[in-house]
């Protein structure tokens, strides 16, 4: 720690209650009052060093040798700083440190202690020592903390900005250049510890310092000074990731709700027997809003987990709408990196309807979709096969990851009986259809919602089921849907229809492959007959194996088709509406192609049970 000694005389002051007395042997002729403290001094040592005191003493009228009384309540640093200044004027020994130099510098400026009133006056001495203080990290930090006591005067003298620039330069530079110690470590620990082994001292290498070595030190600054320091560090080219990490560290220290272990009812008790005081709620709200504005705008430097936690706290502390909107947009920009548990934000509104804040998630999702809209439109929404996403795209695109996240969120909020159907539908429909390679997730959410809301009408059930595409259900989901009594009959029939269509397409594909294989291996059309020399074709065994495998596969598909027919017959017995449906479409109708791009309703169930579809894309009864 930097230190400067001034003066050479022994101590000449002693205190009696609220009065400082000078013990030089001469009777004091001047009393200076600062607050409740009084200083009985002599005028000549003071006016010889201070221009202000010289002026004030001359203005006082002295009658019959009475003691002059001056009031200096406005002096920076108060009575504590003036005590040191008095010692300096009398030549008494005193020490300048990083903890008192700022107050002395401001007080010396206030008293006009320039070189005109003696060589080596206090302004020059403190300025010279400040240059030494600013060359050291710890001393600069301590000096900046003491600026709070005399902030207006320190600002006017540009001491605060000089101190902040000094700290910012050191934080952005290599710590080894300035020999900066780690927080909470002594110099000996920083240089390397000594281990005694078998009577021999062995020095270990010091641990390397990371980019976060300064986080703990600057976290003791108050919010205005910390904000200025962060802005100065950022302007010097500090990496956004490091700046964001420092802000996270600062927020966790002063926002108790950032800690998962904290309780809403007793947030001041961290460990048994240990009490930590936190700022009041108003100060926490101000701190939160300031942290949000200081976060770097670069995408990815702040994790969605931290942003969503800040958003929860903002709702608890009733932060400004602009602060919450800022957080929602930041989360929406990287929603594909979020996880479901962080997205379950409890509803903090005054009129609490649902358990989780569905409206907030809807706004976050809208912002994400708006950012990815151009990319989505430029991508061809063409399904390649079941389980794949889009032609020319990776399997885990951001929009697909968000679709899975939203489907999981829908399944979590679906059991809430207070969740209105329009909100559920709008949230599910925000994700474009091509973003879901399979609709199993949205089907699962729909099934849970139907189970939790049994009072829905048939029209509302059908409207809800339009959110999923029956063609994009997996075999497991289709099997479950075919037996799901909560689904409307219309949807169940569509599921069976598309499963049968998929079955026939698979069978046709097997026959097509078999025919091409035979033609390619028997170009002469001899159907694999033995050659004249009595030898068999080279690949006859392979052909036989493929043919047997294909027959087994066709047999399995036929069994599946038979099982589907049995399920459909069960529905005929259990569903009353099926009777009307079967009467209306019992006769065979001539079919023609539909103009609509959407999948048409099944108009001839018996024909499809017999394995005789009359269209490829979809047909309607004439």
């Amino acid at each position: 720690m930097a230190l400067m000694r001034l003066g050479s005389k022994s101590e000449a002051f002693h205190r009696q209650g609220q009065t400082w007395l000078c013990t030089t042997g001469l009777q004091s002729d001047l009393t200076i009052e600062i607050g409740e403290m009084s200083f009985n001094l002599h005028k000549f040592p003071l006016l010889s060093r201070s221009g202000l005191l010289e002026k004030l003493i001359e203005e006082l009228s002295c009658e019959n040798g009475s003691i002059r009384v001056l009031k200096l309540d406005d002096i920076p640093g108060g009575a504590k700083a003036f005590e040191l200044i008095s010692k300096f004027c009398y030549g008494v020994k005193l020490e300048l440190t990083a903890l008192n130099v700022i107050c002395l510098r401001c007080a010396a400026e206030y008293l006009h202690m320039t070189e005109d009133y003696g060589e080596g006056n206090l302004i020059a001495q403190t300025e010279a020592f400040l240059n030494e203080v600013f060359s050291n990290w710890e001393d600069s930090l301590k000096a900046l903390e003491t600026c709070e006591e005399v902030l207006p005067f320190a600002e006017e003298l540009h001491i605060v900005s000089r101190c902040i620039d000094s700290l910012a330069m050191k934080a952005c530079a290599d710590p080894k250049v300035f020999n900066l110690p780690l927080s909470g470590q002594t110099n000996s620990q920083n240089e390397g510890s000594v281990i005694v082994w078998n009577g021999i001292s062995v020095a270990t290498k010091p641990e390397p310092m990371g980019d976060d070595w300064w986080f703990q030190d600057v976290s003791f600054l108050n919010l205005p000074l910390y904000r200025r320091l962060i802005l100065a560090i950022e302007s010097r080219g500090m990496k956004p990731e490091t700046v964001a990490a420092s802000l996270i560290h600062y927020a966790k220290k002063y926002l108790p709700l950032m800690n998962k272990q904290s309780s809403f009812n007793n947030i001041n008790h961290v460990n048994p027997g240990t009490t930590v005081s936190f700022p009041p709620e108003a100060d926490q709200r101000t701190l939160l809003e300031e942290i949000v504005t200081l976060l770097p705008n670069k995408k990815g430097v702040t994790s969605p987990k931290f942003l969503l936690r800040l958003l929860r706290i903002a709702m608890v502390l009733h932060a400004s709408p602009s602060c919450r909107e800022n957080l929602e947009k930041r989360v929406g920009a990287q929603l594909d990196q979020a996880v479901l548990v962080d997205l379950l934000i409890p509803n903090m509104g005054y009129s609490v309807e649902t358990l989780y804040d569905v409206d907030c998630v809807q706004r976050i999702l809208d912002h994400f979709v708006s950012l990815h809209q151009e990319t989505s439109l430029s991508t061809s929404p063409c399904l390649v096969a079941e389980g794949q996403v889009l032609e020319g795209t990776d399997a885990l695109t951001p929009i697909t990851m968000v679709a899975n996240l939203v489907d999981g969120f829908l399944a979590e909020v679906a059991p809430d009986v207070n969740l209105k159907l329009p909100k559920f539908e709008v949230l599910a429909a925000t994700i474009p259809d091509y973003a879901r390679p399979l609709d199993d997730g949205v089907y699962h959410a729909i099934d849970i919602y139907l189970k939790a809301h049994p009072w829905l009408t048939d029209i509302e059930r059908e409207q809800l089921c339009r959110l999923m595409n029956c063609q994009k259900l997996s075999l497991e989901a289709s099997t479950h849907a075919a037996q799901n009594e909560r689904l409307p009959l219309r949807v169940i029939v569509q599921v069976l229809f598309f499963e049968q269509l998929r079955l026939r397409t698979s069978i046709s594909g097997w026959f097509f492959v078999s025919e091409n294989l035979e033609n390619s291996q028997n170009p002469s059309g001899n159907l694999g007959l033995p050659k004249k020399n009595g030898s068999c074709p080279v690949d006859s065994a392979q052909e036989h194996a493929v043919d047997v495998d294909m027959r087994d596969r066709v047999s399995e598909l036929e069994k599946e088709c038979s099982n589907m027919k049995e399920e459909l017959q069960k529905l005929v017995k259990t569903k009353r509406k099926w009777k009307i449906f079967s009467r209306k479409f019992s006769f065979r109708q001539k079919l023609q192609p539909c103009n609509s791009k959407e999948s048409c309703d099944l108009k001839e169930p018996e024909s499809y049970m017999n394995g005789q579809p009359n269209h490829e894309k979809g047909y309607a009864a004439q």
Side-chain angles (χ1 to χ4, degrees):
M1 182 175 178
L3 179 67
M4 177 182 285
R5 291 182 173 87
L6 302 177
S8 58
K9 298 180 180 179
S10 58
E11 181 64 55
F13 293 89
H14 70 277
R15 181 174 177 178
Q16 293 181 358
Q18 298 294 326
T19 304
W20 280 96
L21 302 174
C22 181
T23 58
T24 57
L26 299 175
Q27 184 179 359
S28 62
D29 55 0
L30 178 66
T31 299
I32 296 179
E33 295 181 353
I34 302 175
E36 298 179 355
M37 190 68 65
S38 298
F39 294 85
N40 294 336
L41 306 173
H42 305 87
K43 62 180 180 180
F44 290 106
L46 299 179
L47 58 84
S48 63
R49 286 291 187 175
S50 170
L52 178 64
L53 291 179
E54 181 184 21
K55 178 182 177 181
L56 294 177
I57 291 174
E58 291 178 356
E59 292 176 353
L60 288 177
S61 60
C62 181
E63 297 179 358
N64 300 327
S66 61
I67 298 176
R68 298 174 175 88
V69 178
L70 292 177
K71 287 186 175 293
L72 295 177
D73 293 332
D74 296 334
I75 184 172
K80 185 176 181 181
F82 187 77
E83 175 192 347
L84 297 176
I85 290 177
S86 300
K87 293 181 179 180
F88 174 80
C89 294
Y90 280 85
V92 177
K93 296 178 182 180
L94 64 96
E95 294 180 347
L96 290 182
T97 65
L99 297 176
N100 62 22
V101 64
I102 302 295
C103 293
L104 289 176
R105 173 66 182 88
C106 295
E109 187 71 24
Y110 176 82
L111 296 174
H112 301 165
M113 302 179 70
T114 63
E115 295 296 298
D116 297 335
Y117 297 90
E119 185 179 357
N121 210 348
L122 190 57
I123 290 181
Q125 297 282 6
T126 52
E127 275 293 336
F129 184 66
L130 277 175
N131 294 330
E132 183 179 350
V133 168
F134 292 153
S135 64
N136 183 277
W137 169 266
E138 290 185 349
D139 291 338
S140 299
L141 197 61
K142 292 177 181 177
L144 182 60
E145 291 178 0
T146 60
C147 287
E148 301 176 19
E149 303 174 8
V150 290
L151 193 57
F153 299 94
E155 290 283 8
E156 185 178 355
L157 297 175
H158 305 288
I159 297 177
V160 178
S161 58
R162 290 165 58 191
C163 195
I164 288 177
D165 290 340
S166 171
L167 292 172
M169 180 185 64
K170 294 175 178 60
C172 296
D174 188 353
K176 298 179 181 178
V177 175
F178 297 97
N179 193 24
L180 300 174
L182 286 171
S183 301
Q185 292 187 357
T186 61
N187 292 331
S188 61
Q189 290 175 326
N190 188 40
E191 295 174 357
S193 57
V194 178
I195 301 177
V196 179
W197 177 78
N198 198 18
I200 302 175
S201 299
V202 180
T204 60
K205 295 182 179 181
E207 297 182 359
M209 300 175 66
D211 294 336
D212 60 345
W213 62 269
W214 51 276
F215 291 179
Q216 181 66 18
D217 291 338
V218 301
S219 65
F220 291 98
L221 298 175
N222 63 15
L223 182 59
L225 292 178
Y226 175 79
R227 178 183 182 277
R228 293 178 60 177
L229 178 60
I230 287 296
L231 292 176
I233 289 175
E234 193 172 13
S235 65
R236 287 182 172 269
M238 177 69 75
K239 295 185 296 184
E241 292 80 3
T242 306
V243 174
S246 176
L247 292 169
I248 293 174
H249 184 275
Y250 194 85
K252 288 182 177 179
K253 184 171 184 177
Y254 296 104
L255 294 177
L257 296 179
M258 287 295 298
N259 185 5
K260 288 184 178 180
Q261 306 299 329
S262 63
S263 171
F264 284 88
N265 297 326
N266 189 13
I267 61 178
N268 289 337
H269 297 281
V270 180
N271 294 319
T274 303
T275 302
V276 179
S277 60
F278 292 104
E281 184 174 323
D283 293 342
Q284 292 185 37
R285 179 167 55 251
T286 303
L287 170 63
L288 173 65
E289 294 174 353
E290 196 65 48
I291 291 293
V292 173
T293 57
L294 291 174
L295 286 174
N297 292 323
K298 184 179 178 181
K299 178 182 177 182
V301 298
T302 311
S303 65
K305 183 182 184 66
F306 174 73
L307 293 174
L308 286 168
R309 184 166 291 276
L310 280 182
L311 183 57
R312 290 189 184 188
I313 300 175
M315 294 177 178
V316 174
L317 299 177
H318 304 291
S320 63
S322 59
C323 175
R324 285 177 285 179
E325 183 181 1
N326 190 346
L327 288 171
E328 289 173 358
K329 289 184 177 180
R330 289 176 182 269
V331 175
Q334 45 188 344
L335 185 58
D336 54 303
Q337 303 173 13
V339 294
L340 178 59
V341 65
D342 297 326
L343 208 60
L344 298 175
I345 304 174
N347 201 333
M348 301 294 178
Y350 293 104
S351 58
V352 178
E353 294 182 356
T354 57
L355 178 61
Y356 297 110
D357 198 334
V358 181
D359 294 333
C360 177
V361 176
Q362 180 68 59
R363 292 191 296 268
I364 294 174
L365 181 60
D366 290 339
H367 184 69
F368 172 84
V369 173
S370 64
L371 292 178
H372 291 76
Q373 188 173 9
E374 296 181 1
T375 305
S376 302
L377 292 177
S378 61
T379 309
S380 175
C382 175
L383 274 170
V384 179
E386 182 179 309
Q388 298 181 359
V389 187
L390 298 176
E391 191 177 69
T393 61
D394 297 331
L396 294 178
T397 56
I399 189 67
T400 303
M401 298 174 66
V402 171
N404 294 332
L405 182 65
V406 171
D407 291 346
F409 179 79
L410 289 172
E412 289 292 334
V413 300
D416 193 342
V417 295
N418 294 324
L419 179 61
K420 304 300 181 183
L421 179 60
K423 285 189 177 182
F424 185 91
E425 291 177 333
V426 171
L427 186 59
T430 305
I431 298 295
D433 181 67
Y434 64 84
R436 293 185 175 100
L438 289 176
D439 275 16
D440 290 9
V442 69
Y443 165 68
H444 177 61
I446 291 173
D447 184 39
I448 296 177
Y449 191 86
L450 290 175
K451 184 177 181 181
H453 302 75
W455 55 83
L456 294 179
T457 64
D458 293 339
I459 297 178
E460 290 175 335
R461 290 171 180 269
E462 292 186 3
Q463 180 180 350
L464 179 62
C465 290
R466 291 194 187 102
L467 296 172
M468 67 176 179
N469 189 346
C470 297
Q471 298 184 72
K472 294 167 63 176
L473 294 178
S474 65
L475 180 60
E476 181 181 0
S478 298
T479 304
H480 184 276
Q483 303 174 2
N484 193 345
E485 296 182 355
R486 289 185 288 271
L487 296 179
L489 180 62
R490 177 193 185 99
V491 177
I492 296 177
V493 172
Q494 286 183 354
V495 171
L496 294 173
F497 162 68
F498 288 120
E499 277 303 306
Q500 191 176 24
L501 185 62
R502 186 185 305 176
L503 176 63
R504 290 188 57 82
T505 304
S506 301
I507 295 175
S508 301
W510 276 101
F511 280 117
F512 179 76
V513 171
S514 174
E515 183 178 355
N516 289 343
L517 182 63
E518 292 179 358
N519 293 336
S520 62
Q521 293 180 353
N522 300 281
S524 60
N526 55 13
L527 301 177
L529 296 176
K531 297 182 180 180
K532 293 181 179 181
N533 55 6
S535 61
C536 295
V538 179
D539 297 332
S540 59
Q542 184 178 0
E543 290 181 23
H544 180 70
V546 172
D547 184 62
V548 172
D549 182 58
M550 183 177 61
R551 291 178 183 274
D552 294 341
R553 176 58 179 166
V554 171
S555 177
E556 293 178 0
L557 294 175
E558 289 178 349
K559 291 180 180 179
E560 293 180 4
C561 183
S562 177
N563 293 335
M564 292 174 62
K565 292 179 183 179
E566 294 178 359
E567 293 296 335
L568 189 57
Q569 290 175 359
K570 292 179 181 179
L571 289 174
V572 173
K573 297 179 181 179
T574 56
K575 298 285 185 176
R576 295 181 179 179
K577 293 184 179 181
W578 179 255
K579 185 177 298 183
I580 302 175
F581 185 87
S582 59
R583 289 177 182 176
K584 186 175 180 180
F585 299 96
S586 60
F587 57 92
R588 292 182 175 272
Q589 297 177 338
K590 185 176 180 181
L591 302 179
Q592 63 181 9
C594 294
N595 295 326
S596 175
K597 295 182 180 180
E598 300 180 356
S599 301
C600 68
D601 299 333
L602 183 62
K603 303 300 182 180
E604 194 175 356
E606 296 182 359
S607 63
Y608 287 103
M609 286 190 293
N610 295 329
Q612 299 175 359
N614 294 322
H615 65 284
E616 296 179 358
K617 295 184 178 179
Y619 293 80
Q622 201 172 26

